[in-house]
Amino acid sequence: MKKMHFTFVLLALLVLAACAQDKNLADEKLANGKAKVYMTSEISPEALVKIYKALGREATGRVAVKISTGEGGNTHYLKPTLIRNLIEEVNGTIVECCTAYGGTRQDPKKHWETIHEHGFDSIFAVDLMDEFGEMRIPVKDQKHLRYDIVGEHLANYTFMINLAHFKGHAMGGFGGVLKNASIGVASTNGKAYIHSAGKTTDPVLTWTPQYLAAGPTQDNFLESMAAAAQAVHNYFGESILYINVMNNMSVDCDCDGHPAEPRLKDMGILASTDPVALDKACLDLVFNHKASDGDDEKPLIERINRQHGTYIVDYAEQIGLGTKNYELVNIDQ
């Protein structure tokens, strides 16, 4: 009996020692200021669930999964068949907002038609968050924006999974989780407010030649996007996580109905609880890539550089949204 008691005590001490070691490792990660970014080279429904679980932050309550449903004619958006397992795992609702330019998603009726054509509403619950109204949420960095204008249904959710398709973008240079949180969650008027760096909420005025000629600088637009992304991040607090899928990486966004063919091969899926670290890790993979036949990073890099796109992660770190200092953890190994 005494021998059995001693064995139990020894096991308990070993468990405590292991826990203490884990805590020391966690403290070390905290001390060096690095954010963990997880990566898998596999792009599949199963891999999406695997990388979500690797984050260790369970999506509970009323879960919003923010994606881009893609402009009519676009074929590069994240397909329902790819994301289905993850949505079912978290019992999530696909959420979107209308756009601020003429197309198949600015008008709610047309947007619903596009959602249906792309197969989302036949598999998932889908919520067009600004279909019936909008609301304002606080902005910490008020250099350009006094508030963030989002779809009013955002208030119906207690947790958000920011599930972004990483690719190029005509105005931002690239689109990842920072864009998906800012422009993506903003209502039509909110998108105009961000694009104009706080000058107007009129989506018609935003795109007139006269306004564009006298409008905000590119950096002001990127700073506004970072501030809006921080507003959404702070709105959910610890109840938000971020995933970038690096496939179909055209120089054009999913908001383009006729995107250029991708010249860069698929790289994988990355995820983090830190949106700045995540977008930075994806940018680093692109900028450090070595071109080969049929696998060329140069067009995407040129698009990003032309729009000073990397500045958004610099400014997002500056305002305290996250850190560019990260540790990449390959979950395939």
Side-chain angles (χ1 to χ4, degrees):
M1 191 72 180
K2 288 183 178 178
K3 184 177 180 181
M4 185 178 295
H5 177 72
F6 175 77
T7 302
F8 280 138
V9 170
L10 181 60
L11 285 172
L13 288 172
L14 287 172
V15 169
L16 287 171
C19 290
Q21 184 178 14
D22 287 343
K23 184 179 186 303
N24 288 337
L25 286 172
D27 289 344
E28 183 181 345
K29 302 292 183 192
L30 187 64
N32 65 23
K34 288 186 177 181
K36 279 192 175 182
V37 176
Y38 296 89
M39 179 179 180
T40 174
S41 58
E42 179 184 346
I43 301 177
S44 69
E46 295 75 20
L48 261 178
V49 174
K50 182 180 178 182
I51 204 165
Y52 153 69
K53 290 184 175 179
L55 290 172
R57 179 174 287 183
E58 185 181 2
T60 58
R62 300 184 300 278
V63 181
V65 182
K66 175 63 188 75
I67 65 164
S68 168
T69 50
E71 191 69 15
N74 188 290
T75 59
H76 296 156
Y77 59 90
L78 300 181
K79 304 300 188 295
T81 50
L82 174 63
I83 68 176
R84 181 172 188 167
N85 288 11
L86 176 61
I87 310 305
E88 291 178 349
E89 175 74 24
V90 301
N91 192 27
T93 298
I94 295 292
V95 299
E96 259 276 51
C97 283
C98 291
T99 59
Y101 55 86
T104 67
R105 294 184 299 150
Q106 182 174 355
D107 173 80
K109 182 178 182 296
K110 290 181 180 179
H111 199 156
W112 276 115
E113 290 172 356
T114 303
I115 288 169
H116 182 71
E117 287 170 4
H118 289 174
F120 289 100
D121 61 340
S122 61
I123 300 177
F124 313 116
V126 181
D127 183 5
L128 200 52
M129 292 192 293
D130 65 337
E131 182 174 11
F132 304 109
E134 60 191 24
M135 68 179 191
R136 297 175 179 180
I137 61 175
V139 169
K140 181 180 179 181
D141 174 59
Q142 297 196 358
K143 182 176 181 180
H144 305 291
L145 308 179
R146 290 177 293 164
Y147 39 74
D148 189 22
I149 311 171
V150 301
E152 67 175 0
H153 288 179
L154 189 71
N156 295 339
Y157 301 96
T158 58
F159 197 104
M160 175 171 279
I161 295 179
N162 182 330
L163 178 56
H165 174 210
F166 187 90
K167 70 289 178 190
H169 187 265
M171 298 193 70
F174 79 96
V177 291
L178 291 173
K179 175 185 173 293
N180 199 35
S182 55
I183 296 294
V185 177
S187 65
T188 295
N189 293 335
K191 287 175 171 64
Y193 192 54
I194 295 168
H195 272 287
S196 67
K199 297 294 188 288
T200 182
T201 60
D202 186 342
V204 176
L205 177 62
T206 306
W207 307 115
T208 59
Q210 297 87 345
Y211 189 84
L212 288 172
T217 66
Q218 176 66 5
D219 284 358
N220 287 350
F221 163 56
L222 296 172
E223 289 171 358
S224 299
M225 277 212 296
Q230 185 180 42
V232 173
H233 183 87
N234 291 347
Y235 181 84
F236 284 100
E238 295 295 310
S239 298
I240 190 168
L241 56 86
Y242 301 88
I243 303 173
N244 269 334
V245 181
M246 300 185 74
N247 71 342
N248 294 320
M249 287 180 284
S250 168
V251 298
D252 297 314
C253 180
D254 297 345
C255 59
D256 191 324
H258 305 282
E261 284 299 312
R263 299 275 298 277
L264 181 61
K265 286 187 177 179
D266 299 350
M267 289 186 172
I269 306 172
L270 284 77
S272 182
T273 57
D274 185 320
V276 179
L278 178 55
D279 272 359
K280 180 64 166 67
C282 292
L283 287 168
D284 286 346
L285 286 174
V286 172
F287 276 80
N288 293 327
H289 184 263
K290 301 300 181 185
S292 60
D293 289 342
D295 187 18
D296 189 1
E297 76 286 349
K298 294 183 186 67
L300 182 53
I301 290 176
E302 288 171 1
R303 171 60 58 88
I304 295 169
N305 286 341
R306 189 185 75 189
Q307 300 303 106
H308 197 201
T310 59
Y311 178 60
I312 191 173
V313 295
D314 298 334
Y315 191 75
E317 181 184 54
Q318 182 182 322
I319 62 177
L321 176 51
T323 178
K324 294 187 295 182
N325 192 16
Y326 65 89
E327 173 190 0
L328 193 62
V329 180
N330 190 331
I331 64 172
D332 295 336
Q333 298 173 356

